Amino acid sequence: MAIINVDLQKSYRILNPGATTLVSAKHGGDANAMAITWAQALDYDKLTIIPHNGSYTRTLIEKSGYFAVQIPVATQAELVSELGAEDNSRFNNPHKMDSVKLFYKDGFDVPLIEDCAAWIICKQISESHNEQTYDLFIGQVVAAYADDRIFDGGHWKFESVPDELKMLHYVAGGQYYLDGKAINTKRNPIVE
């Protein structure tokens, strides 16, 4: 084994193999979605996302105060790439969402994308300094849903589902990885 230097501009790729997400929002009857690799749990009932400054989805989040984070599966790789393409901005392509299948859960006017592994609906916790300086948005989780074929009993079931139902992990340049094999230990090293 050799320990190699990693270009600082690419160092984010070391931590980046977290699940690729789709973020959606709606305001005034106008819905949009975008792919975001920069989504992370902040604690048990809060998360963070980094929607690109000036993106259409970010504008809808700022206006409505709500957004949803979805976990797409392998069969949605092309959709994720399409929704994440900079040249496919809703500002440039008014028909971007025409082929995206959306649904809504009772009590929430937040669009959710069909066929994902899981969906988390959040109320924006406004932090204008973080949003303007770092593009960092904090969401208070108000509802969460999952496909029981993939997530049940508080755990992902990737070891027992076919590859097409596994979540995507974006690395760079259009390359994704899928979740692999589960490894169980006798001891739980993390306080839950």
Side-chain angles (χ1 to χ4, degrees):
M1 173 184 80
I3 296 175
I4 62 170
N5 288 324
V6 176
D7 179 353
L8 294 181
Q9 294 298 315
K10 297 188 190 298
S11 64
Y12 71 92
R13 294 179 183 177
I14 293 171
L15 293 175
N16 214 32
T20 299
T21 63
L22 295 171
V23 173
S24 57
K26 179 180 175 182
H27 178 71
D30 194 13
N32 199 52
M34 67 187 298
I36 292 184
T37 302
W38 308 103
Q40 187 68 261
L42 181 60
D43 62 20
Y44 293 107
D45 63 350
K46 289 176 217 58
L47 58 80
T48 62
I49 61 170
I50 301 181
H52 184 271
N53 189 9
S55 70
Y56 199 75
T57 304
R58 177 177 171 151
T59 301
L60 296 176
I61 294 169
E62 291 170 333
K63 289 179 180 179
S64 71
Y66 285 87
F67 60 92
V69 176
Q70 284 101 160
I71 308 296
V73 296
T75 57
Q76 295 175 299
E78 290 298 329
L79 174 66
V80 172
S81 291
E82 186 177 315
L83 291 176
E86 287 186 43
D87 63 349
N88 194 23
S89 164
R90 185 71 183 266
F91 293 117
N92 301 330
N93 180 2
H95 301 287
K96 172 183 173 182
M97 296 297 291
D98 289 355
S99 63
V100 179
K101 297 177 199 166
L102 301 175
F103 72 100
Y104 295 83
K105 293 299 282 178
D106 288 341
F108 298 101
D109 192 27
V110 179
L112 304 175
I113 298 170
E114 287 185 9
D115 301 322
C116 289
W119 306 263
I120 301 172
I121 299 175
C122 297
K123 181 175 181 6
Q124 178 187 2
I125 298 173
S126 186
E127 293 281 344
S128 59
H129 173 73
N130 287 336
E131 293 163 8
Q132 297 308 312
T133 304
Y134 306 111
D135 297 326
L136 177 71
F137 281 56
I138 301 171
Q140 174 72 50
V141 176
V142 295
Y145 311 95
D147 181 331
D148 69 353
R149 297 174 300 170
I150 307 166
F151 186 91
D152 194 24
H155 297 280
W156 290 107
K157 303 185 321 184
F158 293 120
E159 67 278 4
S160 63
V161 299
D163 283 350
E164 60 265 13
L165 292 178
K166 292 181 179 180
M167 71 173 67
L168 297 165
H169 300 272
Y170 184 70
V171 180
Q175 183 179 31
Y176 296 91
Y177 288 97
L178 301 180
D179 289 296
K181 184 176 170 182
I183 297 173
N184 294 306
T185 62
K186 294 178 184 176
R187 186 178 287 240
N188 183 1
I190 300 172
V191 177
E192 292 182 346

